[in-house]
Amino acid sequence: MDSTSKSEPKIVKGDYGYILEDVPHLTDYIDDLPTYPNPLQDNPAYAVVKQYFVNLDDTVAQKIVQHKSSPRGTHFRRAGPRQKVYFESDEVHACIVTCGGLCPGLNTVIREIVCGLYHMYGVTRILGIEGGYRGFYARNTVPLTPKFVNDIHKRGGTILGTSRGGHDTSKIVDSIQDRGINQVYIIGGDGTQKGASVIYEEIKRRGLKVAVAGIPKTIDNDIPVIDRSFGFDTAVEEAQRAINAAHVESESVENGVGVVKLMGRYSGFIAMYATLASRDVDCCLIPESPFYLEGPGGLFEYMEKRLKENGHMVIVIAEGAGQELLSESIRSMNQQDASGNKLLQDVGHWISQRIRDHFSRRHKMVINLKYIDPTYMIRAVPSNASDNVYCTLLAQSAVHGAMAGYTGFTVGPVNGRHAYIPFHRVTEKQNNVVITDRMWARLLSSTHQPSFLSLNDIAEDKKEEESTTSMSNGFANGQEDKLVSKESSSTR
């Protein structure tokens, strides 16, 4: 196995362009660590399992669809229990922290980490860090037991509280070291996972036997590599309630227009999936697909047509959509929140007012517009059944990884199989709706809205996508060439 420095990913290369982007392990920087039999093999609940443990060499492919001549491409280490663990149950002192905005499923993840550690591995010392990263050095903690967390999955929010910012690496690691904590579970979005990566690097620099595991959280589903993020299914389900209300309001009056603003700072997945699920939406606007208001093919022209045909319509808009249009009419302050996210203008109020002005000024036409913003109602609900199951698997995969000595990783499903993913892969870019993909075409077919794209725009998007794919394949082939060259040199 090839080990690398801090600045380089940990890469293992094999035949036919196979690349394993591996995650760090405690043995990478601590010598002669003892191992212990996994207590799961003596757990009566798991006696029915045909195979207790994941094979050490099992990996998960990042891309499941391949051409016959394609290289095997990038893989990640498969998540799951290992035959040997690097912590004795009595030795473990774990902690859990939640950071960033609220998201359905946070309490479920907390509950399942606690119950997984306790019931699968016999760990009894688990600490909740209150109030986000600041809680490490503000000395705000709460002991967590299965009894304490028993019903928390039925509540929204997080019992540990949360905050943005407050990341002081030295103070956080000092606190971890002073308390004797040796497993850290960090639940949060891309900013939080970047912070977790820095914490891992400092722990490694100090040579501490501390496993750092991340559980990626974003309601927008904008974390790359993983299939989806927890809370997303719940958000789409709740968003449909708002869309249904807008539809009922709009069809009950003459020239009714329902405008629903949904979450999605940079990625329009919630808006897109809620639109496809409801089938009551006439137009969906997302950050990835620029639109314009005036002129042929613009939003106003389309609205006039739909109102003449149906007498009502529903518009769904993601919070990050149309920000470039707002910047033209509203002075942009370029302010940021404590997590470093740009503060967005309220596109929902803005577009509602522009619609009213347009029909009042241009057509002397009275419209009945209702604006609905369910953002905080959606964020604050408990997770649904699908997300509860998903959160359980995420939490248990993180626990298995930490007990097996893996560290500096985040966990998530890749092509339906849970895997351990290096921090840098989930923070290097954002997952976005591809507007030249079939899913967006399905939405356009469902709503009958214009794409707002010229043929040149579509050609440029496809060219950029093909260029990215070509570069990715070139990287894989390049890695294979290097491997062959290296093997030839060693033979000589």
Side-chain angles (χ1 to χ4, degrees), residues 243 258 260 262-263 267-276 278 280-291 299 302 313-318 321 351 433 435 439-440 443-444 446-452:
I243 292 171
V260 181
L262 297 176
M263 289 156 292
S267 301
F269 286 103
I270 292 177
M272 180 173 73
Y273 276 83
T275 294
L276 282 167
S278 74
D280 287 329
V281 179
D282 299 283
C283 188
C284 176
L285 304 172
I286 61 173
E288 296 89 338
S289 181
F291 64 94
L299 177 63
Y302 172 65
M313 72 178 298
V314 174
I315 299 171
V316 166
I317 186 164
I351 202 166
V433 174
I435 59 171
M439 190 60 79
W440 185 244
L443 181 139
L444 297 178
S446 168
T447 62
H448 309 296
Q449 71 187 67
S451 68
F452 302 109

mmCIF file of all heavy atoms in Angstrom, residues 243 258 260 262-263 267-276 278 280-291 299 302 313-318 321 351 433 435 439-440 443-444 446-452:
data_model
loop_
_atom_site.group_PDB
_atom_site.id
_atom_site.type_symbol
_atom_site.label_atom_id
_atom_site.label_comp_id
_atom_site.label_asym_id
_atom_site.label_seq_id
_atom_site.Cartn_x
_atom_site.Cartn_y
_atom_site.Cartn_z
ATOM 1 N N ILE A 243 -45.864 22.860 -1.915
ATOM 2 C CA ILE A 243 -46.273 22.953 -3.320
ATOM 3 C C ILE A 243 -47.764 22.673 -3.465
ATOM 4 O O ILE A 243 -48.480 23.353 -4.214
ATOM 5 C CB ILE A 243 -45.453 21.968 -4.181
ATOM 6 C CG1 ILE A 243 -43.978 22.419 -4.246
ATOM 7 C CG2 ILE A 243 -46.036 21.857 -5.586
ATOM 8 C CD1 ILE A 243 -43.054 21.410 -4.894
ATOM 9 N N GLY A 258 -48.964 30.704 -7.554
ATOM 10 C CA GLY A 258 -48.314 30.267 -6.313
ATOM 11 C C GLY A 258 -46.812 30.227 -6.507
ATOM 12 O O GLY A 258 -46.324 29.596 -7.455
ATOM 13 N N VAL A 260 -43.305 29.184 -4.604
ATOM 14 C CA VAL A 260 -42.742 28.453 -3.461
ATOM 15 C C VAL A 260 -41.223 28.524 -3.535
ATOM 16 O O VAL A 260 -40.622 28.117 -4.532
ATOM 17 C CB VAL A 260 -43.183 26.968 -3.474
ATOM 18 C CG1 VAL A 260 -42.597 26.238 -2.265
ATOM 19 C CG2 VAL A 260 -44.701 26.860 -3.495
ATOM 20 N N LEU A 262 -37.764 27.118 -2.163
ATOM 21 C CA LEU A 262 -37.221 25.960 -1.461
ATOM 22 C C LEU A 262 -35.724 26.110 -1.249
ATOM 23 O O LEU A 262 -35.082 26.968 -1.853
ATOM 24 C CB LEU A 262 -37.502 24.679 -2.260
ATOM 25 C CG LEU A 262 -38.977 24.328 -2.446
ATOM 26 C CD1 LEU A 262 -39.129 23.096 -3.336
ATOM 27 C CD2 LEU A 262 -39.664 24.094 -1.103
ATOM 28 N N MET A 263 -35.156 25.272 -0.406
ATOM 29 C CA MET A 263 -33.729 25.322 -0.129
ATOM 30 C C MET A 263 -32.921 24.884 -1.334
ATOM 31 O O MET A 263 -33.394 24.105 -2.159
ATOM 32 C CB MET A 263 -33.397 24.452 1.083
ATOM 33 C CG MET A 263 -33.895 25.025 2.392
ATOM 34 S SD MET A 263 -34.127 23.764 3.646
ATOM 35 C CE MET A 263 -35.497 22.872 2.990
ATOM 36 N N SER A 267 -27.254 24.272 -5.379
ATOM 37 C CA SER A 267 -27.725 23.058 -6.059
ATOM 38 C C SER A 267 -29.241 22.970 -5.938
ATOM 39 O O SER A 267 -29.782 23.119 -4.850
ATOM 40 C CB SER A 267 -27.088 21.815 -5.444
ATOM 41 O OG SER A 267 -25.677 21.889 -5.543
ATOM 42 N N GLY A 268 -29.897 22.672 -7.050
ATOM 43 C CA GLY A 268 -31.359 22.688 -7.068
ATOM 44 C C GLY A 268 -32.023 21.342 -6.945
ATOM 45 O O GLY A 268 -33.127 21.135 -7.470
ATOM 46 N N PHE A 269 -31.394 20.397 -6.226
ATOM 47 C CA PHE A 269 -31.936 19.041 -6.165
ATOM 48 C C PHE A 269 -33.296 18.979 -5.468
ATOM 49 O O PHE A 269 -34.196 18.262 -5.914
ATOM 50 C CB PHE A 269 -30.949 18.108 -5.456
ATOM 51 C CG PHE A 269 -29.758 17.755 -6.284
ATOM 52 C CD1 PHE A 269 -28.530 18.348 -6.051
ATOM 53 C CD2 PHE A 269 -29.858 16.846 -7.325
ATOM 54 C CE1 PHE A 269 -27.418 18.047 -6.817
ATOM 55 C CE2 PHE A 269 -28.761 16.521 -8.105
ATOM 56 C CZ PHE A 269 -27.536 17.129 -7.850
ATOM 57 N N ILE A 270 -33.466 19.697 -4.353
ATOM 58 C CA ILE A 270 -34.753 19.652 -3.646
ATOM 59 C C ILE A 270 -35.853 20.187 -4.549
ATOM 60 O O ILE A 270 -36.925 19.581 -4.686
ATOM 61 C CB ILE A 270 -34.692 20.446 -2.332
ATOM 62 C CG1 ILE A 270 -33.761 19.767 -1.327
ATOM 63 C CG2 ILE A 270 -36.089 20.593 -1.718
ATOM 64 C CD1 ILE A 270 -33.593 20.526 -0.025
ATOM 65 N N ALA A 271 -35.604 21.328 -5.191
ATOM 66 C CA ALA A 271 -36.604 21.925 -6.081
ATOM 67 C C ALA A 271 -36.921 20.986 -7.238
ATOM 68 O O ALA A 271 -38.097 20.791 -7.601
ATOM 69 C CB ALA A 271 -36.095 23.268 -6.604
ATOM 70 N N MET A 272 -35.884 20.368 -7.824
ATOM 71 C CA MET A 272 -36.103 19.490 -8.970
ATOM 72 C C MET A 272 -36.899 18.244 -8.584
ATOM 73 O O MET A 272 -37.883 17.890 -9.248
ATOM 74 C CB MET A 272 -34.760 19.078 -9.583
ATOM 75 C CG MET A 272 -34.903 18.153 -10.784
ATOM 76 S SD MET A 272 -33.353 17.803 -11.646
ATOM 77 C CE MET A 272 -32.547 16.699 -10.464
ATOM 78 N N TYR A 273 -36.495 17.570 -7.507
ATOM 79 C CA TYR A 273 -37.172 16.328 -7.129
ATOM 80 C C TYR A 273 -38.578 16.589 -6.591
ATOM 81 O O TYR A 273 -39.502 15.802 -6.850
ATOM 82 C CB TYR A 273 -36.332 15.563 -6.103
ATOM 83 C CG TYR A 273 -35.268 14.704 -6.742
ATOM 84 C CD1 TYR A 273 -34.045 15.250 -7.119
ATOM 85 C CD2 TYR A 273 -35.478 13.357 -6.993
ATOM 86 C CE1 TYR A 273 -33.061 14.482 -7.722
ATOM 87 C CE2 TYR A 273 -34.503 12.568 -7.594
ATOM 88 C CZ TYR A 273 -33.301 13.142 -7.955
ATOM 89 O OH TYR A 273 -32.336 12.380 -8.564
ATOM 90 N N ALA A 274 -38.759 17.684 -5.857
ATOM 91 C CA ALA A 274 -40.097 18.016 -5.365
ATOM 92 C C ALA A 274 -41.024 18.348 -6.525
ATOM 93 O O ALA A 274 -42.206 17.991 -6.521
ATOM 94 C CB ALA A 274 -40.023 19.192 -4.396
ATOM 95 N N THR A 275 -40.493 19.005 -7.546
ATOM 96 C CA THR A 275 -41.279 19.315 -8.748
ATOM 97 C C THR A 275 -41.683 18.037 -9.473
ATOM 98 O O THR A 275 -42.851 17.861 -9.851
ATOM 99 C CB THR A 275 -40.460 20.217 -9.694
ATOM 100 O OG1 THR A 275 -40.252 21.484 -9.064
ATOM 101 C CG2 THR A 275 -41.174 20.424 -11.017
ATOM 102 N N LEU A 276 -40.729 17.129 -9.670
ATOM 103 C CA LEU A 276 -41.035 15.873 -10.358
ATOM 104 C C LEU A 276 -42.029 15.026 -9.568
ATOM 105 O O LEU A 276 -42.878 14.342 -10.148
ATOM 106 C CB LEU A 276 -39.745 15.084 -10.583
ATOM 107 C CG LEU A 276 -38.866 15.551 -11.744
ATOM 108 C CD1 LEU A 276 -37.487 14.912 -11.671
ATOM 109 C CD2 LEU A 276 -39.525 15.210 -13.078
ATOM 110 N N SER A 278 -44.381 16.108 -7.376
ATOM 111 C CA SER A 278 -45.711 16.696 -7.174
ATOM 112 C C SER A 278 -46.540 16.738 -8.459
ATOM 113 O O SER A 278 -47.755 16.561 -8.438
ATOM 114 C CB SER A 278 -45.592 18.111 -6.627
ATOM 115 O OG SER A 278 -45.175 19.001 -7.645
ATOM 116 N N ASP A 280 -47.554 19.189 -9.945
ATOM 117 C CA ASP A 280 -48.434 20.352 -9.946
ATOM 118 C C ASP A 280 -47.677 21.641 -10.268
ATOM 119 O O ASP A 280 -48.243 22.727 -10.179
ATOM 120 C CB ASP A 280 -49.105 20.518 -8.569
ATOM 121 C CG ASP A 280 -50.171 19.475 -8.314
ATOM 122 O OD1 ASP A 280 -50.801 19.036 -9.306
ATOM 123 O OD2 ASP A 280 -50.375 19.090 -7.153
ATOM 124 N N VAL A 281 -46.404 21.515 -10.622
ATOM 125 C CA VAL A 281 -45.554 22.695 -10.829
ATOM 126 C C VAL A 281 -45.481 23.018 -12.325
ATOM 127 O O VAL A 281 -45.314 22.127 -13.158
ATOM 128 C CB VAL A 281 -44.133 22.453 -10.270
ATOM 129 C CG1 VAL A 281 -43.240 23.669 -10.510
ATOM 130 C CG2 VAL A 281 -44.204 22.127 -8.783
ATOM 131 N N ASP A 282 -45.612 24.308 -12.632
ATOM 132 C CA ASP A 282 -45.542 24.760 -14.029
ATOM 133 C C ASP A 282 -44.168 25.285 -14.402
ATOM 134 O O ASP A 282 -43.840 25.365 -15.587
ATOM 135 C CB ASP A 282 -46.573 25.866 -14.260
ATOM 136 C CG ASP A 282 -47.985 25.380 -14.013
ATOM 137 O OD1 ASP A 282 -48.523 24.685 -14.883
ATOM 138 O OD2 ASP A 282 -48.543 25.683 -12.937
ATOM 139 N N CYS A 283 -43.370 25.657 -13.416
ATOM 140 C CA CYS A 283 -42.032 26.169 -13.709
ATOM 141 C C CYS A 283 -41.132 25.979 -12.490
ATOM 142 O O CYS A 283 -41.521 26.314 -11.375
ATOM 143 C CB CYS A 283 -42.091 27.655 -14.083
ATOM 144 S SG CYS A 283 -40.515 28.312 -14.674
ATOM 145 N N CYS A 284 -39.949 25.407 -12.714
ATOM 146 C CA CYS A 284 -38.972 25.180 -11.638
ATOM 147 C C CYS A 284 -37.691 25.929 -12.000
ATOM 148 O O CYS A 284 -37.121 25.717 -13.075
ATOM 149 C CB CYS A 284 -38.705 23.685 -11.480
ATOM 150 S SG CYS A 284 -37.441 23.290 -10.251
ATOM 151 N N LEU A 285 -37.237 26.789 -11.106
ATOM 152 C CA LEU A 285 -36.048 27.609 -11.345
ATOM 153 C C LEU A 285 -34.972 27.234 -10.331
ATOM 154 O O LEU A 285 -35.220 27.245 -9.124
ATOM 155 C CB LEU A 285 -36.399 29.096 -11.215
ATOM 156 C CG LEU A 285 -37.535 29.587 -12.125
ATOM 157 C CD1 LEU A 285 -37.932 31.015 -11.766
ATOM 158 C CD2 LEU A 285 -37.148 29.478 -13.591
ATOM 159 N N ILE A 286 -33.783 26.880 -10.820
ATOM 160 C CA ILE A 286 -32.693 26.416 -9.949
ATOM 161 C C ILE A 286 -31.406 27.176 -10.261
ATOM 162 O O ILE A 286 -31.272 27.769 -11.342
ATOM 163 C CB ILE A 286 -32.472 24.891 -10.104
ATOM 164 C CG1 ILE A 286 -32.069 24.544 -11.551
ATOM 165 C CG2 ILE A 286 -33.705 24.115 -9.663
ATOM 166 C CD1 ILE A 286 -31.674 23.084 -11.735
ATOM 167 N N PRO A 287 -30.433 27.149 -9.340
ATOM 168 C CA PRO A 287 -29.188 27.903 -9.560
ATOM 169 C C PRO A 287 -28.409 27.465 -10.794
ATOM 170 O O PRO A 287 -27.740 28.281 -11.429
ATOM 171 C CB PRO A 287 -28.376 27.632 -8.285
ATOM 172 C CG PRO A 287 -29.355 27.206 -7.264
ATOM 173 C CD PRO A 287 -30.467 26.527 -8.001
ATOM 174 N N GLU A 288 -28.480 26.181 -11.146
ATOM 175 C CA GLU A 288 -27.677 25.659 -12.245
ATOM 176 C C GLU A 288 -28.197 26.089 -13.617
ATOM 177 O O GLU A 288 -27.481 25.981 -14.615
ATOM 178 C CB GLU A 288 -27.631 24.124 -12.202
ATOM 179 C CG GLU A 288 -26.949 23.542 -10.987
ATOM 180 C CD GLU A 288 -27.899 23.318 -9.829
ATOM 181 O OE1 GLU A 288 -28.969 23.962 -9.772
ATOM 182 O OE2 GLU A 288 -27.585 22.475 -8.973
ATOM 183 N N SER A 289 -29.436 26.532 -13.679
ATOM 184 C CA SER A 289 -30.047 26.877 -14.960
ATOM 185 C C SER A 289 -30.415 28.353 -14.982
ATOM 186 O O SER A 289 -31.459 28.740 -14.451
ATOM 187 C CB SER A 289 -31.300 26.016 -15.190
ATOM 188 O OG SER A 289 -31.886 26.315 -16.433
ATOM 189 N N PRO A 290 -29.578 29.196 -15.561
ATOM 190 C CA PRO A 290 -29.884 30.634 -15.618
ATOM 191 C C PRO A 290 -31.194 30.867 -16.371
ATOM 192 O O PRO A 290 -31.543 30.138 -17.302
ATOM 193 C CB PRO A 290 -28.693 31.218 -16.393
ATOM 194 C CG PRO A 290 -27.615 30.199 -16.293
ATOM 195 C CD PRO A 290 -28.298 28.870 -16.220
ATOM 196 N N PHE A 291 -31.933 31.892 -15.946
ATOM 197 C CA PHE A 291 -33.178 32.236 -16.629
ATOM 198 C C PHE A 291 -33.241 33.758 -16.773
ATOM 199 O O PHE A 291 -32.440 34.489 -16.192
ATOM 200 C CB PHE A 291 -34.387 31.709 -15.850
ATOM 201 C CG PHE A 291 -34.554 32.325 -14.486
ATOM 202 C CD1 PHE A 291 -35.375 33.437 -14.292
ATOM 203 C CD2 PHE A 291 -33.903 31.795 -13.374
ATOM 204 C CE1 PHE A 291 -35.538 34.000 -13.040
ATOM 205 C CE2 PHE A 291 -34.049 32.354 -12.124
ATOM 206 C CZ PHE A 291 -34.878 33.458 -11.949
ATOM 207 N N LEU A 299 -39.353 34.207 -18.759
ATOM 208 C CA LEU A 299 -40.316 33.712 -17.771
ATOM 209 C C LEU A 299 -41.669 34.402 -17.911
ATOM 210 O O LEU A 299 -42.716 33.753 -17.844
ATOM 211 C CB LEU A 299 -39.760 33.920 -16.359
ATOM 212 C CG LEU A 299 -40.689 33.516 -15.208
ATOM 213 C CD1 LEU A 299 -40.975 32.016 -15.243
ATOM 214 C CD2 LEU A 299 -40.101 33.904 -13.856
ATOM 215 N N TYR A 302 -43.722 33.076 -20.784
ATOM 216 C CA TYR A 302 -44.232 31.738 -20.471
ATOM 217 C C TYR A 302 -45.399 31.824 -19.491
ATOM 218 O O TYR A 302 -46.405 31.110 -19.638
ATOM 219 C CB TYR A 302 -43.104 30.885 -19.900
ATOM 220 C CG TYR A 302 -43.547 29.545 -19.362
ATOM 221 C CD1 TYR A 302 -44.085 28.573 -20.204
ATOM 222 C CD2 TYR A 302 -43.440 29.252 -18.003
ATOM 223 C CE1 TYR A 302 -44.501 27.348 -19.717
ATOM 224 C CE2 TYR A 302 -43.852 28.033 -17.507
ATOM 225 C CZ TYR A 302 -44.381 27.081 -18.353
ATOM 226 O OH TYR A 302 -44.802 25.871 -17.874
ATOM 227 N N MET A 313 -51.147 29.011 -12.086
ATOM 228 C CA MET A 313 -49.858 28.319 -12.231
ATOM 229 C C MET A 313 -49.084 28.334 -10.916
ATOM 230 O O MET A 313 -49.343 29.152 -10.027
ATOM 231 C CB MET A 313 -49.015 28.928 -13.355
ATOM 232 C CG MET A 313 -48.418 30.282 -13.073
ATOM 233 S SD MET A 313 -47.397 30.862 -14.466
ATOM 234 C CE MET A 313 -46.118 29.607 -14.539
ATOM 235 N N VAL A 314 -48.121 27.396 -10.816
ATOM 236 C CA VAL A 314 -47.255 27.287 -9.631
ATOM 237 C C VAL A 314 -45.802 27.370 -10.082
ATOM 238 O O VAL A 314 -45.404 26.690 -11.033
ATOM 239 C CB VAL A 314 -47.491 25.962 -8.874
ATOM 240 C CG1 VAL A 314 -46.478 25.802 -7.740
ATOM 241 C CG2 VAL A 314 -48.913 25.894 -8.333
ATOM 242 N N ILE A 315 -45.033 28.209 -9.390
ATOM 243 C CA ILE A 315 -43.602 28.357 -9.664
ATOM 244 C C ILE A 315 -42.822 27.913 -8.431
ATOM 245 O O ILE A 315 -43.110 28.358 -7.312
ATOM 246 C CB ILE A 315 -43.237 29.816 -10.000
ATOM 247 C CG1 ILE A 315 -43.973 30.279 -11.251
ATOM 248 C CG2 ILE A 315 -41.731 29.985 -10.176
ATOM 249 C CD1 ILE A 315 -43.838 31.772 -11.527
ATOM 250 N N VAL A 316 -41.857 27.029 -8.629
ATOM 251 C CA VAL A 316 -40.938 26.635 -7.561
ATOM 252 C C VAL A 316 -39.577 27.247 -7.863
ATOM 253 O O VAL A 316 -39.079 27.122 -8.985
ATOM 254 C CB VAL A 316 -40.822 25.096 -7.459
ATOM 255 C CG1 VAL A 316 -39.629 24.691 -6.593
ATOM 256 C CG2 VAL A 316 -42.103 24.505 -6.902
ATOM 257 N N ILE A 317 -38.992 27.900 -6.886
ATOM 258 C CA ILE A 317 -37.686 28.527 -7.094
ATOM 259 C C ILE A 317 -36.752 28.175 -5.940
ATOM 260 O O ILE A 317 -37.132 28.267 -4.767
ATOM 261 C CB ILE A 317 -37.811 30.064 -7.254
ATOM 262 C CG1 ILE A 317 -36.457 30.683 -7.610
ATOM 263 C CG2 ILE A 317 -38.444 30.724 -6.038
ATOM 264 C CD1 ILE A 317 -36.558 32.098 -8.148
ATOM 265 N N ALA A 318 -35.554 27.712 -6.269
ATOM 266 C CA ALA A 318 -34.546 27.421 -5.241
ATOM 267 C C ALA A 318 -33.928 28.732 -4.763
ATOM 268 O O ALA A 318 -33.809 29.691 -5.530
ATOM 269 C CB ALA A 318 -33.469 26.503 -5.805
ATOM 270 N N ALA A 321 -31.294 30.476 -6.913
ATOM 271 C CA ALA A 321 -31.572 30.766 -8.323
ATOM 272 C C ALA A 321 -31.661 32.270 -8.559
ATOM 273 O O ALA A 321 -32.085 33.028 -7.677
ATOM 274 C CB ALA A 321 -32.872 30.091 -8.753
ATOM 275 N N ILE A 351 -38.696 37.964 -6.809
ATOM 276 C CA ILE A 351 -39.378 37.530 -8.022
ATOM 277 C C ILE A 351 -40.890 37.699 -7.900
ATOM 278 O O ILE A 351 -41.579 38.004 -8.896
ATOM 279 C CB ILE A 351 -39.000 36.070 -8.382
ATOM 280 C CG1 ILE A 351 -39.259 35.826 -9.877
ATOM 281 C CG2 ILE A 351 -39.772 35.058 -7.532
ATOM 282 C CD1 ILE A 351 -38.639 34.568 -10.414
ATOM 283 N N VAL A 433 -26.972 19.866 -10.074
ATOM 284 C CA VAL A 433 -27.855 19.334 -11.103
ATOM 285 C C VAL A 433 -27.196 19.573 -12.466
ATOM 286 O O VAL A 433 -26.740 20.675 -12.761
ATOM 287 C CB VAL A 433 -29.224 20.037 -11.068
ATOM 288 C CG1 VAL A 433 -30.087 19.592 -12.244
ATOM 289 C CG2 VAL A 433 -29.932 19.763 -9.749
ATOM 290 N N ILE A 435 -27.774 20.156 -16.104
ATOM 291 C CA ILE A 435 -28.953 20.552 -16.888
ATOM 292 C C ILE A 435 -28.929 20.019 -18.318
ATOM 293 O O ILE A 435 -29.841 20.281 -19.090
ATOM 294 C CB ILE A 435 -29.129 22.082 -16.884
ATOM 295 C CG1 ILE A 435 -27.893 22.769 -17.464
ATOM 296 C CG2 ILE A 435 -29.437 22.584 -15.484
ATOM 297 C CD1 ILE A 435 -28.075 24.260 -17.683
ATOM 298 N N MET A 439 -32.419 13.720 -16.201
ATOM 299 C CA MET A 439 -33.327 14.067 -15.117
ATOM 300 C C MET A 439 -33.889 15.469 -15.300
ATOM 301 O O MET A 439 -35.085 15.712 -15.075
ATOM 302 C CB MET A 439 -32.621 13.948 -13.761
ATOM 303 C CG MET A 439 -33.555 14.053 -12.569
ATOM 304 S SD MET A 439 -34.824 12.771 -12.540
ATOM 305 C CE MET A 439 -33.885 11.393 -11.908
ATOM 306 N N TRP A 440 -33.045 16.402 -15.729
ATOM 307 C CA TRP A 440 -33.533 17.761 -15.971
ATOM 308 C C TRP A 440 -34.452 17.770 -17.195
ATOM 309 O O TRP A 440 -35.445 18.508 -17.229
ATOM 310 C CB TRP A 440 -32.361 18.722 -16.154
ATOM 311 C CG TRP A 440 -32.778 20.160 -16.293
ATOM 312 C CD1 TRP A 440 -32.619 20.965 -17.366
ATOM 313 C CD2 TRP A 440 -33.428 20.960 -15.292
ATOM 314 N NE1 TRP A 440 -33.126 22.219 -17.114
ATOM 315 C CE2 TRP A 440 -33.633 22.245 -15.847
ATOM 316 C CE3 TRP A 440 -33.860 20.710 -13.992
ATOM 317 C CZ2 TRP A 440 -34.247 23.284 -15.150
ATOM 318 C CZ3 TRP A 440 -34.482 21.742 -13.290
ATOM 319 C CH2 TRP A 440 -34.672 23.010 -13.860
ATOM 320 N N LEU A 443 -37.816 16.806 -16.096
ATOM 321 C CA LEU A 443 -38.517 17.918 -15.449
ATOM 322 C C LEU A 443 -39.100 18.866 -16.493
ATOM 323 O O LEU A 443 -40.260 19.292 -16.385
ATOM 324 C CB LEU A 443 -37.563 18.676 -14.524
ATOM 325 C CG LEU A 443 -38.209 19.846 -13.781
ATOM 326 C CD1 LEU A 443 -37.723 19.901 -12.337
ATOM 327 C CD2 LEU A 443 -37.933 21.184 -14.454
ATOM 328 N N LEU A 444 -38.307 19.225 -17.514
ATOM 329 C CA LEU A 444 -38.793 20.120 -18.559
ATOM 330 C C LEU A 444 -40.002 19.517 -19.266
ATOM 331 O O LEU A 444 -40.957 20.222 -19.614
ATOM 332 C CB LEU A 444 -37.685 20.417 -19.571
ATOM 333 C CG LEU A 444 -36.449 21.162 -19.039
ATOM 334 C CD1 LEU A 444 -35.424 21.340 -20.153
ATOM 335 C CD2 LEU A 444 -36.833 22.510 -18.452
ATOM 336 N N SER A 446 -42.101 17.449 -17.867
ATOM 337 C CA SER A 446 -43.208 17.438 -16.911
ATOM 338 C C SER A 446 -43.872 18.802 -16.786
ATOM 339 O O SER A 446 -45.102 18.913 -16.739
ATOM 340 C CB SER A 446 -42.691 16.985 -15.538
ATOM 341 O OG SER A 446 -43.643 17.222 -14.529
ATOM 342 N N THR A 447 -43.070 19.862 -16.719
ATOM 343 C CA THR A 447 -43.607 21.204 -16.495
ATOM 344 C C THR A 447 -43.968 21.932 -17.788
ATOM 345 O O THR A 447 -44.742 22.886 -17.775
ATOM 346 C CB THR A 447 -42.588 22.068 -15.731
ATOM 347 O OG1 THR A 447 -41.392 22.204 -16.522
ATOM 348 C CG2 THR A 447 -42.244 21.451 -14.385
ATOM 349 N N HIS A 448 -43.342 21.511 -18.906
ATOM 350 C CA HIS A 448 -43.500 22.178 -20.209
ATOM 351 C C HIS A 448 -42.912 23.583 -20.222
ATOM 352 O O HIS A 448 -43.257 24.399 -21.081
ATOM 353 C CB HIS A 448 -44.986 22.228 -20.642
ATOM 354 C CG HIS A 448 -45.675 20.911 -20.587
ATOM 355 N ND1 HIS A 448 -45.310 19.848 -21.391
ATOM 356 C CD2 HIS A 448 -46.692 20.462 -19.797
ATOM 357 C CE1 HIS A 448 -46.093 18.806 -21.116
ATOM 358 N NE2 HIS A 448 -46.931 19.147 -20.154
ATOM 359 N N GLN A 449 -42.031 23.870 -19.264
ATOM 360 C CA GLN A 449 -41.398 25.190 -19.216
ATOM 361 C C GLN A 449 -40.269 25.274 -20.236
ATOM 362 O O GLN A 449 -39.727 24.255 -20.661
ATOM 363 C CB GLN A 449 -40.822 25.443 -17.812
ATOM 364 C CG GLN A 449 -39.584 24.598 -17.508
ATOM 365 C CD GLN A 449 -39.112 24.732 -16.064
ATOM 366 O OE1 GLN A 449 -39.795 24.305 -15.145
ATOM 367 N NE2 GLN A 449 -37.956 25.331 -15.872
ATOM 368 N N PRO A 450 -39.921 26.485 -20.649
ATOM 369 C CA PRO A 450 -38.747 26.624 -21.521
ATOM 370 C C PRO A 450 -37.473 26.305 -20.744
ATOM 371 O O PRO A 450 -37.435 26.429 -19.519
ATOM 372 C CB PRO A 450 -38.787 28.096 -21.943
ATOM 373 C CG PRO A 450 -39.572 28.778 -20.882
ATOM 374 C CD PRO A 450 -40.558 27.775 -20.365
ATOM 375 N N SER A 451 -36.419 25.892 -21.450
ATOM 376 C CA SER A 451 -35.146 25.595 -20.776
ATOM 377 C C SER A 451 -34.377 26.868 -20.480
ATOM 378 O O SER A 451 -33.447 26.864 -19.683
ATOM 379 C CB SER A 451 -34.285 24.684 -21.652
ATOM 380 O OG SER A 451 -33.855 25.381 -22.807
ATOM 381 N N PHE A 452 -34.780 27.992 -21.114
ATOM 382 C CA PHE A 452 -34.094 29.280 -20.985
ATOM 383 C C PHE A 452 -32.667 29.223 -21.512
ATOM 384 O O PHE A 452 -31.858 30.099 -21.256
ATOM 385 C CB PHE A 452 -34.070 29.779 -19.531
ATOM 386 C CG PHE A 452 -35.430 29.932 -18.931
ATOM 387 C CD1 PHE A 452 -35.871 29.065 -17.942
ATOM 388 C CD2 PHE A 452 -36.287 30.936 -19.358
ATOM 389 C CE1 PHE A 452 -37.145 29.204 -17.386
ATOM 390 C CE2 PHE A 452 -37.556 31.081 -18.815
ATOM 391 C CZ PHE A 452 -37.990 30.216 -17.824
#
